Amino acid sequence: MSAAKTPTLYIEGPAFWAATLPGWEIASAVFRGEGAPADPPAKRPSPQLLAPAERRRAPDTVALALEVAAAAVAASGRNAADLPCVFASAHGDLGINDYMCGTLATDPLLLSPIKFHNSVHNAAVGYWTIGTGCMAASNSLAAYESSFASGLLEAAAQCAADQRAVLLAGYDMPAVGALASVTTSREMLAVALVLSPTRTARTVASFEWTLAAGAAPATRARSAAARALEVNAMADALPLFEALARAEPESLSLPLSATLSLQLQLQPELQLETQS
């Protein structure tokens, strides 16, 4: 008996941030071979969703996630308060986790309550829902090297089942301290997009999606700029965003585990440079 066909879904508002590619306009041009990475690299983003004092205190993961989430929602033309959201990060805030472990091992009484508050894996989505007034469902997930693929599957399943648009944001930062010896993640990288069950004026691509059993090689990034970011734990997002930048039909394989993968058949709908 064959599996039921999954519905076609639609992508709006791709957003991207890395120090060398600070914004989707720059990143998409570089991915098409029409631009160059930022030199010198940009400093971490400063999300305007937060008040100035919160912006200064927010950890890197929160700054990254909120920057791309806000950009994706703005480009989609939707209201952030109405959008269910899925935030994906392989490791959360590795810098704060290293601080927490080190402080607990040496002098627990010096532990910062603010840093403890920001150490939880759902800190970024918490800042997002509070800042936007979003009362819709929110999820925060981790799946190691398949975190973006798992987040995309979760967002696609919600979008298809509930027939509602869903915001997906993925982000990771460099590993530091002792954690760097057991966790491979360097540079900062964040991506976001909105999935819709229907085509809209802001649609940039549609995709068919299926789950495939067995080992499947991951689609690799093509451009040198994207390959340079493969050291980040969110690297499984790179081939999809390169494909969106090229605006060409593409077959993508995103492993979910050693025995399961998410297969996408991507079809561009509009040239991205026409999007606001």
Side-chain angles (χ1 to χ4, degrees):
M1 182 176 178
S2 61
K5 184 179 185 298
T6 55
T8 300
L9 297 179
Y10 302 87
I11 295 174
E12 302 169 2
F16 193 99
W17 199 96
T20 53
L21 302 170
W24 179 238
E25 184 176 352
I26 294 173
S28 59
V30 171
F31 292 158
R32 293 192 300 270
E34 300 170 2
D39 186 18
K43 296 181 180 179
R44 82 167 201 170
S46 182
Q48 299 305 300
L49 179 66
L50 299 177
E54 289 181 319
R55 207 178 303 150
R56 289 191 297 271
R57 289 196 299 263
D60 288 347
T61 47
V62 170
L64 286 168
L66 267 57
E67 178 75 10
V68 293
V73 173
S76 75
R78 297 181 182 271
N79 183 355
D82 299 331
L83 278 176
C85 54
V86 176
F87 278 49
S89 174
H91 304 298
D93 199 298
L94 290 166
I96 289 181
N97 288 335
D98 177 71
Y99 156 83
M100 295 274 292
C101 293
T103 304
L104 288 171
T106 55
D107 195 342
L109 295 179
L110 293 179
L111 195 68
S112 162
I114 292 178
K115 289 191 175 182
F116 175 79
H117 164 79
N118 286 324
S119 70
V120 296
H121 195 77
N122 64 347
V125 75
Y127 276 94
W128 172 258
T129 53
I130 293 170
T132 60
C134 178
M135 300 293 287
S138 63
N139 283 339
S140 181
L141 62 82
Y144 196 46
E145 293 179 348
S146 300
S147 293
F148 177 78
S150 298
L152 180 58
L153 176 60
E154 173 69 20
Q158 286 190 37
C159 180
D162 298 337
Q163 289 295 290
R164 292 184 63 181
V166 177
L167 167 66
L168 170 63
Y171 53 95
D172 266 302
M173 62 173 287
V176 298
L179 289 175
S181 67
V182 294
T183 295
T184 302
S185 188
R186 298 191 294 277
E187 308 297 337
M188 291 192 290
L189 176 61
V191 299
L193 48 79
V194 174
L195 299 185
S196 172
T198 58
R199 182 182 286 105
T200 73
R202 302 296 181 99
T203 296
V204 299
S206 62
F207 67 94
E208 308 287 338
W209 50 295
T210 57
L211 292 176
T219 303
R220 297 295 304 275
R222 294 188 187 182
S223 67
R227 290 196 299 271
L229 296 171
E230 288 182 330
V231 294
N232 185 275
M234 200 49 50
D236 59 333
L238 294 168
L240 173 58
F241 281 80
E242 280 193 308
L244 291 173
R246 292 194 304 271
E248 298 173 351
E250 186 75 70
S251 297
L252 300 170
S253 177
L254 285 71
L256 295 162
S257 70
T259 58
L260 189 68
S261 64
L262 179 61
Q263 304 291 316
L264 305 181
Q265 296 294 327
L266 192 71
Q267 181 66 41
E269 303 242 340
L270 293 172
Q271 293 295 317
L272 296 190
E273 57 264 33
T274 66
Q275 301 300 298
S276 59

